Amino acid sequence: CNPAKFKKRKPLLDSNKILFVGRILPEKGIKQLIQATLMIKTNYPQVKLVIAGSDGYGPKEDSEFQKELKKIAKKEINSFEFLGYVNHQNVGELFANTALYVVPSIWNEPFGLTVLEGMASGIPMIVGNTGAIPEIVGDTAIKVNCKDVETLAETILYSLTHRNEMNTMAGEAHERFMSHFTWDHVSDNYQKIIKDL
C-alpha cells in the first residue's frame, strides 16, 4: 500500500457516506453490509453506501450475485451507489468525504490489502473479525462478526453517531500503518531477519 496514493484524510463529522471497496463475492460480506445498511435506515435515513468493485480484477458484466445485490438495494435505491470496477490508481480518491470504511469479510482473509488502504487513509473502520484482519488492525478499528447482520447494523449506527471516538481510532490506525506496514518498515524487518540467519 503506497502512502503517496492513500493519504491521510481530514477527520469528518458531517459525511454520511459508507464505503466498500473490493471484489463483489459472497465471502467478502457485501450482501450482509447492504442488508445492515437497509436495517439502519429507520434510525439514520441519510446514510449512503458506496460500493466499488466487480467480481474479479477488472471491468466485467454483472454476475448473478451482483444482480441479486442490486435487487436487494432497490428497496432504498437512493441509499446505494454501485460504481463497478474502479482502477486501483483511482481507489485512493474514493476515501474523500467518507465517514466510514467497512471491510465486512466473512471468510479467513489471509491479508486484506484494502484494510491497509483504509488505515493509510486515516478513515474510521469496521472490519470482519476473521482471518488475519484483527491482527492487522490491532485496536484501531471495530472488529465484528459480519455474518451477524443485526450486530453489523448496530455497529455501523454506533460508528456514525460517535464520530469523535471513531476519528481518534482512525488516527491511531494511520499511525499503526506508518509504523508497521510501509515498504521501508517491511524492508528493515526483512534485512534484520537475514542478518539474524
Side-chain angles (χ1 to χ4, degrees), residues 106-134:
I106 58 175
W107 72 296
N108 288 325
E109 188 100 43
F111 192 89
L113 181 60
T114 57
V115 177
L116 291 186
E117 291 168 352
M119 294 171 71
S121 300
I123 301 295
M125 293 173 61
I126 295 172
V127 298
N129 63 354
T130 60
I133 293 175

Side-chain angles (χ1 to χ4, degrees), residues 6-167:
F6 294 89
K7 297 178 182 178
K8 186 178 181 183
R9 301 287 177 174
K10 182 180 178 181
L12 297 173
L13 297 175
D14 57 353
S15 172
N16 303 303
K17 187 171 82 174
I18 303 171
L19 178 65
F20 170 91
V21 178
R23 286 180 293 152
I24 310 299
L25 300 171
E27 61 267 27
K28 295 295 187 177
I30 181 58
K31 182 176 180 179
Q32 288 80 357
L33 178 56
I34 289 172
Q35 292 170 328
T37 303
L38 288 170
M39 198 174 285
I40 71 168
K41 279 286 293 181
T42 303
N43 294 314
Y44 204 91
Q46 63 272 42
V47 68
K48 182 163 189 176
L49 173 60
V50 177
I51 300 165
S54 68
D55 70 343
Y57 295 103
K60 294 184 174 184
E61 290 186 10
D62 284 355
S63 66
E64 289 304 311
F65 181 61
Q66 287 171 287
K67 290 175 184 176
E68 177 190 351
L69 297 180
K70 289 182 178 180
K71 188 174 181 181
I72 296 170
K74 267 189 178 179
K75 297 171 188 174
E76 292 284 354
I77 193 62
N78 292 330
S79 297
F80 299 93
E81 184 177 0
F82 290 85
L83 299 180
Y85 174 77
V86 175
N87 189 295
H88 191 257
Q89 288 187 332
N90 301 322
V91 169
E93 292 307 310
L94 297 179
F95 290 94
N97 199 36
T98 294
L100 181 65
Y101 184 46
V102 185
V103 184
S105 192
I106 58 175
W107 72 296
N108 288 325
E109 188 100 43
F111 192 89
L113 181 60
T114 57
V115 177
L116 291 186
E117 291 168 352
M119 294 171 71
S121 300
I123 301 295
M125 293 173 61
I126 295 172
V127 298
N129 63 354
T130 60
I133 293 175
E135 185 178 350
I136 295 170
V137 299
D139 295 323
T140 68
I142 297 182
K143 295 162 279 192
V144 64
N145 175 8
C146 295
K147 289 182 181 178
D148 184 338
V149 175
E150 188 172 342
T151 299
L152 179 57
E154 290 171 354
T155 307
I156 291 170
L157 185 58
Y158 178 90
S159 299
L160 292 174
T161 54
H162 293 75
R163 300 295 183 95
N164 290 329
E165 177 184 339
M166 293 301 296
N167 283 325

